[in-house]
C-alpha cells in the first residue's frame, strides 16, 4: 500500500478546501439559515409537528443530507475531473499507485469536506432549534457512510464527464430532484398513497429516513432497510469504480 | 549489465485502428542520454507514455531496471520520472506544494531538504511560495522538471523539454541534463531541435511512422553518414568546370565563383590534395577554402525521406 501517495492526494485535495475555507464555511451557514427562515419559520409556523417532532427540527436531518450529498458529489467529481481537464492526470497515471489508492485519496478528501460541512450545518441548526439526538453514534455512522458513498458516486461522475456541463448535469438533473423528493422537508407518510409508492423507488428516501431515525427515532422505512440501501449504493459505486480502473475507461488510452 | 530500459516489440494501436507504434524494440543502458528524433506524429510521445503507464500497450514487453511495467508496476514506476510535453500544472497551487505532492505520489516520505535542493538547482527556490499561475512559461517548465525529480528517479523522460523556451533557458536545461547524467540518471529525451540532440545525446534514435528507423551512437552516426563538403571559392567566376577537373565529382556554385567537392570523411583517401593541385594546374586563382560537415539534421531528413519513399 502506497500510504505516502494516498496522504499526498488527500492533503493536496484538502488544501483546495482550505484555500477557500471562508467560502466553504460561510456558504453552508447562510444557506442553512435561509432554509430555516423559509421552511422552519414561514412554512413551519403553519405545520405543528411531524410524527411528534417540531417541523423546524424535523427538517434538520434532510437539510444536512441535502447539502452533504451535493457537496460530496461536487467535491469528488471536481477533484478528479480537474486533473483530467488541465492535464495533470499524467502524474497520477505514471505514479506507483494503484487505482484503489487513487480512489482512497480523492474520495477520502471529498468525504471529509462533505462531512465537515454537514457538521457545520448541524451546529448552525442548534442556533435555530433545540435538537436532542437520540442515536448520536448511528447519526455519525449514517453521515460518514453517506459522505463516502456519494463521494464515490461523484468520483464516477468526474471520470465520466467530458466537460464542465456534464460535470453539473447529473447533480443538477438527477441528484437534486431526488434529494428534494426524498423527504428532506416532509415525511413520506404525508403524501397520497400513490406518491408514497413512487417514493419507494427513490434511494434517497431510505438515506434520509435512516438519518432522521438516528436523530428522532422516527422513520419512514425501517432503519435496517436504510442501512441495507446505503450499503447497496456504496457497493454499486465501488464496483463501478473498480470496473472503470480495470478497463481504464475515459482515463487511460 | 542488463539494460535499465528494455523495450521489446512494442505495439500500440488506438481504437480507430491507427497504429502508433509498430513493433518498437529499444535497449538503453544506465547513465546514457538518448535523443529520440522524429517528425510530428511519429510515435515519440506514445512510446514515452506507454513506458510511463499513461497509455496501455497493445502488445510487447517493457522492463525498467528489470521490473515489468505491468506485473511489477510499482517498482518500475518508482524508477521513472516524466517531464511531459504540455505544461500541465494546477494554477492555484504553490511551487513547493506541487513538488511535495509529486514526492508523496511516488511513495517517498516527505523530505523538505531534498525538495529545497532541487528547487535551488533549478533556480526556483525564490519562487517556492508563488502560485504556479504567477510563473513565466520557462519557470513552469522548470517546475515540471522539479516535480519529475522529486522522487529521485533513475530514468528520466523529457518529452520536448525545450519546446518554446528561449535560448538561455535551453542552455540551462542542457546543463541540468549534464548534471543529472553525472549523477548516473538515464535520460531519454524527444526533441525537434536537432542541435539539442547533437549537443547533449550519447545516442540518437530516429522514429518515423511508429517505427524506430535506427538507434546509433551519435558520433558514429555522424561519422558513418556524415558527408563533408569542400568549397573552393574563386576570385573569378566560371561558366563551366574546366576540362582538367571533370574527373572529380564537382558542382559549380550558384554564381559560378565556387567549386563544391563532396567527399566521405571515412574514405582512405579523400582526394583533396590532388584536387587542390589540379585546381592550381588549371590556372584558377583561389579566394578561400571552406569545409562544411553535414549535421544531424541533414542525416535525419535523409533518413526520414528514405523511409517515406
Amino acid at each position: 500500500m502506497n500510504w505516502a501517495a494516498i496522504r499526498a492526494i488527500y492533503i493536496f485535495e484538502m488544501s483546495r478546501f482550505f484555500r477557500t475555507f471562508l467560502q466553504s464555511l460561510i456558504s453552508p451557514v447562510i444557506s442553512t439559515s435561509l432554509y430555516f427562515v423559509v421552511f422552519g419559520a414561514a412554512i413551519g409556523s403553519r405545520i405543528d409537528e411531524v410524527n411528534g417532532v417540531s417541523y423546524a427540527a424535523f427538517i434538520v436531518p434532510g437539510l444536512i443530507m441535502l447539502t452533504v450529498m451535493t457537496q460530496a458529489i461536487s467535491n469528488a467529481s471536481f477533484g478528479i475531473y480537474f486533473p483530467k481537464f488541465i492535464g495533470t492526470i499524467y502524474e497520477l497515471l505514471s505514479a506507483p499507485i494503484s487505482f484503489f489508492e487513487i480512489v482512497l485519496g480523492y474520495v477520502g478528501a471529498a468525504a471529509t469536506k462533505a462531512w465537515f460541512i454537514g457538521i457545520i450545518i448541524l451546529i448552525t441548526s442548534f442556533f435555530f432549534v433545540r435538537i436532542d439526538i437520540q442515536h448520536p453514534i448511528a447519526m455519525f455512522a449514517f453521515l460518514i457512510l453517506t459522505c463516502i458513498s456519494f463521494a464515490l458516486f461523484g468520483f464516477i461522475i468526474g471520470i465520466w464527464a467530458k466537460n464542465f456541463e456534464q460535470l453539473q448535469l447529473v447533480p443538477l438533473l438527477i441528484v437534486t430532484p431526488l434529494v428534494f423528493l426524498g423527504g428532506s422537508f416532509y415525511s413520506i407518510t404525508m403524501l397520497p398513497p400513490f406518491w408514497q409508492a413512487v417514493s419507494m423507488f427513490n434511494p434517497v428516501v431510505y438515506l434520509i429516513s435512516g438519518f432522521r431515525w438516528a436523530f428522532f427515532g422516527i422513520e419512514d422505512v425501517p432503519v435496517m432497510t436504510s442501512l441495507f440501501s446505503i450499503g447497496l449504493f456504496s457497493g454499486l459505486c465501488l464496483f463501478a469504480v473498480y470496473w472503470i480502473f480495470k478497463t481504464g475507461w475515459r482515463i487511460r488510452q | 549489465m542488463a539494460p535499465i530500459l528494455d523495450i521489446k516489440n512494442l505495439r500500440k494501436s488506438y481504437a480507430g485502428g491507427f497504429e502508433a507504434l509498430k513493433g518498437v524494440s529499444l535497449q538503453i543502458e544506465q547513465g546514457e542520454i538518448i535523443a529520440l528524433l522524429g517528425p510530428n506524429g511519429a510515435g515519440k510521445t506514445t512510446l514515452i507514455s506507454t513506458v510511463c503507464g499513461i497509455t496501455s500497450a497493445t502488445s510487447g514487453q517493457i522492463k525498467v531496471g528489470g521490473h515489468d511495467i505491468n506485473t511489477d508496476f510499482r517498482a518500475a514506476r518508482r524508477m521513472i520520472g516524466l517531464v511531459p510535453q504540455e505544461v500541465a500544472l494546477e494554477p492555484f497551487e504553490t511551487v513547493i506544494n506541487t513538488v511535495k505532492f509529486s514526492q508523496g505520489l511516488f511513495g517517498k516520505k516527505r523530505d523538505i531538504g531534498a525538495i529545497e535542493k532541487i528547487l535551488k538547482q533549478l533556480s526556483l527556490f525564490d519562487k517556492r511560495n508563488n502560485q504556479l499561475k504567477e510563473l513565466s512559461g520557462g519557470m513552469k517548465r522548470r517546475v515540471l522538471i522539479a516535480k519529475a525529480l522529486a522522487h529521485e528517479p533513475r530514468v528520466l523522460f523529457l518529452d520536448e523539454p525545450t519546446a518554446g523556451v528561449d535560448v538561455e533557458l535551453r542552455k540551462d536545461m542542457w546543463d541540468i541534463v549534464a548534471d543529472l547524467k553525472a549523477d548516473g540518471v538515464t535520460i531519454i529525451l524527444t526533441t525537434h531541435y536537432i542541435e539539442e540532440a547533437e549537443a547533449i545525446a550519447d545516442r540518437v534514435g530516429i522514429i518515423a511512422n511508429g517505427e524506430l528507423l535506427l538507434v546509433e551512437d551519435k558520433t558514429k552516426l555522424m561519422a558513418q553518414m556524415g558527408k563533408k563538403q569542400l568549397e573552393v571559392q574563386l576570385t573569378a567566376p566560371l561558366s563551366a568546370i574546366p576540362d582538367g577537373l571533370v574527373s572529380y565529382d564537382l558542382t559549380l556554385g550558384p554564381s559560378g565563383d565556387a567549386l563544391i567537392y563532396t567527399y566521405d570523411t571515412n574514405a582512405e583517401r579523400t582526394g583533396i590534395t590532388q584536387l587542390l593541385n589540379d585546381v592550381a594546374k588549371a590556372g584558377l586563382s583561389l579566394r578561400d577554402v571552406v569545409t562544411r560537415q553535414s549535421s544531424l539534421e541533414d542525416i535525419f531528413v535523409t533518413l526520414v525521406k528514405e523511409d517515406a519513399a
Side-chain angles (χ1 to χ4, degrees):
Chain A
M1 200 74 159
N2 188 348
W3 289 107
I6 298 166
R7 182 174 172 266
I9 294 173
Y10 185 84
I11 290 174
F12 200 72
E13 281 301 298
M14 289 307 289
S15 75
R16 203 202 314 273
F17 179 63
F18 288 116
R19 255 202 312 269
T20 54
F21 186 70
L22 266 183
Q23 288 141 268
S24 309
L25 195 86
I26 290 170
S27 158
V29 170
I30 291 178
S31 57
T32 308
S33 305
L34 284 172
Y35 276 119
F36 273 113
V37 170
V38 175
F39 287 96
I43 298 173
S45 60
R46 294 170 184 272
I47 304 170
D48 287 341
E49 282 185 340
V50 184
N51 297 334
V53 179
S54 77
Y55 185 71
F58 179 83
I59 63 169
V60 171
L63 215 50
I64 294 172
M65 277 288 174
L66 175 71
T67 313
V68 159
M69 285 174 186
T70 47
Q71 283 289 326
I73 288 173
S74 66
N75 281 319
S77 59
F78 186 79
I80 191 65
Y81 177 75
F82 198 53
K84 270 175 43 180
F85 179 70
I86 60 171
T88 53
I89 189 100
Y90 84 86
E91 210 176 6
L92 281 175
L93 296 176
S94 61
I97 178 169
S98 72
F99 293 132
F100 178 68
E101 288 154 356
I102 293 176
V103 173
L104 220 55
Y106 278 101
V107 168
T112 306
K113 293 177 210 175
W115 181 85
F116 191 73
I117 290 167
I119 295 298
I120 289 171
I121 295 172
L122 181 62
I123 293 168
T124 309
S125 66
F126 287 140
F127 291 100
F128 291 90
V129 64
R130 182 190 158 85
I131 302 166
D132 297 313
I133 302 169
Q134 291 196 13
H135 308 283
I137 295 171
M139 189 277 284
F140 275 105
F142 261 109
L143 189 61
I144 291 166
L145 268 172
T146 307
C147 290
I148 293 170
S149 56
F150 276 77
L152 270 170
F153 187 51
F155 190 84
I156 296 165
I157 294 169
I159 296 278
W160 165 77
K162 285 181 177 170
N163 50 51
F164 277 102
E165 284 74 27
Q166 286 189 345
L167 201 64
Q168 297 295 328
L169 203 69
V170 176
L172 215 65
L173 290 185
I174 301 172
V175 178
T176 308
L178 284 183
V179 176
F180 268 94
L181 300 172
S184 298
F185 302 105
Y186 56 86
S187 167
I188 301 301
T189 53
M190 293 160 82
L191 295 173
F194 174 76
W195 290 110
Q196 277 190 41
V198 170
S199 294
M200 290 301 118
F201 291 98
N202 181 355
V204 178
V205 166
Y206 300 90
L207 304 182
I208 292 177
S209 168
F211 197 48
R212 191 168 280 139
W213 168 85
F215 270 80
F216 311 118
I218 55 171
E219 57 198 17
D220 285 336
V221 289
V223 67
M224 290 315 287
T225 311
S226 294
L227 261 178
F228 174 77
S229 67
I230 195 165
L232 184 71
F233 182 66
S234 305
L236 286 173
C237 289
L238 269 174
F239 179 76
V241 168
Y242 169 77
W243 176 82
I244 284 169
F245 284 128
K246 192 85 182 160
T247 58
W249 183 68
R250 295 208 172 169
I251 304 176
R252 183 172 274 135
Q253 287 181 308
Chain B
M1 202 167 70
I4 196 157
L5 178 62
D6 190 4
I7 302 170
K8 280 182 186 153
N9 202 20
L10 184 65
R11 290 181 180 276
K12 173 65 190 175
S13 302
Y14 287 100
F18 173 68
E19 201 173 9
L21 296 173
K22 300 169 182 168
V24 171
S25 292
L26 176 65
Q27 282 74 41
I28 299 172
E29 300 301 324
Q30 184 173 348
E32 70 172 332
I33 302 177
I34 183 162
L36 297 174
L37 301 175
N40 286 331
K44 303 185 296 294
T45 300
T46 305
L47 178 62
I48 287 181
S49 300
T50 312
V51 175
C52 293
I54 297 166
T55 306
S56 308
T58 307
S59 66
Q61 190 186 43
I62 303 168
K63 283 186 177 177
V64 184
H67 306 287
D68 187 282
I69 63 153
N70 292 316
T71 55
D72 196 6
F73 78 97
R74 287 187 199 267
R77 289 186 194 175
R78 264 193 201 106
M79 296 183 74
I80 299 175
L82 168 65
V83 180
Q85 199 179 117
E86 303 289 332
V87 178
L89 291 164
E90 186 117 356
F92 302 105
E93 200 48 84
T94 61
V95 171
I96 195 153
N97 279 348
T98 194
V99 181
K100 278 182 196 167
F101 174 69
S102 302
Q103 193 181 50
L105 204 58
F106 278 77
K108 280 263 172 188
K109 279 193 177 165
R110 177 71 55 84
D111 184 350
I112 294 293
I115 290 174
E116 287 186 351
K117 191 179 157 199
I118 292 167
L119 294 181
K120 280 175 187 164
Q121 264 179 346
L122 293 164
S123 310
L124 285 168
F125 190 69
D126 294 341
K127 305 269 183 193
R128 65 191 181 284
N129 293 318
N130 284 53
Q131 283 190 329
L132 291 157
K133 66 185 171 96
E134 297 164 5
L135 302 187
S136 66
M139 281 290 176
K140 283 178 185 163
R141 283 212 175 265
R142 283 171 193 259
V143 174
L144 288 176
I145 297 177
K147 281 168 75 68
L149 295 177
H151 64 285
E152 298 166 33
R154 301 314 297 156
V155 180
L156 183 67
F157 287 93
L158 298 163
D159 196 359
E160 296 187 23
T162 54
V165 304
D166 61 35
V167 178
E168 195 185 349
L169 183 59
R170 192 175 301 168
K171 292 273 161 56
D172 282 355
M173 292 273 192
W174 295 358
D175 290 341
I176 292 163
V177 168
D179 289 346
L180 290 168
K181 181 183 164 65
D183 290 341
V185 177
T186 307
I187 294 159
I188 298 109
L189 77 118
T190 69
T191 182
H192 280 298
Y193 301 110
I194 297 187
E195 71 270 24
E196 189 161 80
E198 212 167 333
I200 60 174
D202 298 317
R203 282 202 295 161
V204 174
I206 295 180
I207 301 185
N209 297 319
E211 287 176 289
L212 198 56
L213 302 180
L214 71 85
V215 185
E216 188 57 275
D217 182 275
K218 180 187 65 184
T219 44
K220 268 190 197 164
L221 180 69
M222 291 190 64
Q224 279 170 13
M225 304 195 69
K227 299 277 186 204
K228 216 164 179 180
Q229 284 188 330
L230 176 80
E231 189 175 309
V232 181
Q233 295 176 354
L234 307 168
T235 49
L238 300 171
S239 55
I241 293 169
D243 290 343
L245 300 174
V246 286
S247 60
Y248 296 94
D249 188 14
L250 291 175
T251 50
L252 206 55
S255 331
D257 59 354
L259 292 166
I260 298 160
Y261 176 56
T262 305
Y263 61 98
D264 185 353
T265 49
N266 296 309
E268 206 169 304
R269 287 172 183 275
T270 57
I272 294 172
T273 316
Q274 192 59 48
L275 171 70
L276 291 176
N277 279 336
D278 289 343
V279 167
K281 275 184 197 166
L284 301 176
S285 171
L286 308 190
R287 189 159 49 86
D288 202 354
V289 176
V290 180
T291 62
R292 266 194 301 267
Q293 182 146 23
S294 57
S295 67
L296 206 48
E297 183 160 356
D298 302 325
I299 299 167
F300 170 72
V301 169
T302 310
L303 276 168
V304 172
K305 270 186 186 165
E306 277 174 11
D307 181 63

